Amino acid sequence: MNTLNYIISKKIKQKRKELKLTGIQMGYLLGISQQHFSRLENGHIKFTVEHIFAIASILEVKPESLLPTHNIAKAEAISWAKTVLSAEATLR
């Protein structure tokens, strides 16, 4: 799971639960199965721009509110880079 998907999926899950919507309802409203929505929401499938706009519409939020803020994205990217560099150093 990549960092961007993880952040988006957590924001979607939080908002969905605030609105008391089930995964079955979200799947229905998106025109996909509950299983497919679950894979999206758990970060196992990459989000498309269409997914983000459709989900934002259902959750009645602006699409950009589902995206990471600059500070979060930067911190996550730094953490990821450190992990990769550490793993590469171990292999040498």
Side-chain angles (χ1 to χ4, degrees):
M1 171 187 334
N2 74 35
T3 303
L4 185 58
N5 267 12
Y6 177 78
I7 293 168
I8 294 170
S9 67
K10 292 296 176 191
K11 288 184 173 202
I12 289 170
K13 185 177 275 188
Q14 178 183 4
K15 185 63 179 172
R16 176 182 64 78
K17 287 186 175 190
E18 285 174 19
L19 296 174
K20 297 184 175 130
L21 290 169
T22 67
I24 294 170
Q25 291 169 318
M26 287 295 294
Y28 176 79
L29 293 169
L30 290 166
I32 60 176
S33 69
Q34 179 275 328
Q35 291 85 0
H36 190 172
F37 176 74
S38 177
R39 284 187 224 115
L40 276 170
E41 188 179 61
N42 289 312
H44 299 295
I45 299 174
K46 289 185 178 182
F47 289 94
T48 65
V49 172
E50 289 82 7
H51 287 139
I52 292 170
F53 273 80
I55 291 168
S57 176
I58 292 166
L59 299 177
E60 299 177 347
V61 297
K62 292 181 179 180
E64 57 268 21
S65 73
L66 300 176
L67 302 176
T69 63
H70 174 72
N71 293 338
I72 292 173
K74 185 176 178 182
E76 293 289 336
I78 290 170
S79 174
W80 176 82
K82 286 179 180 178
T83 302
V84 169
L85 292 174
S86 175
E88 287 179 359
T90 304
L91 293 175
R92 292 182 189 166

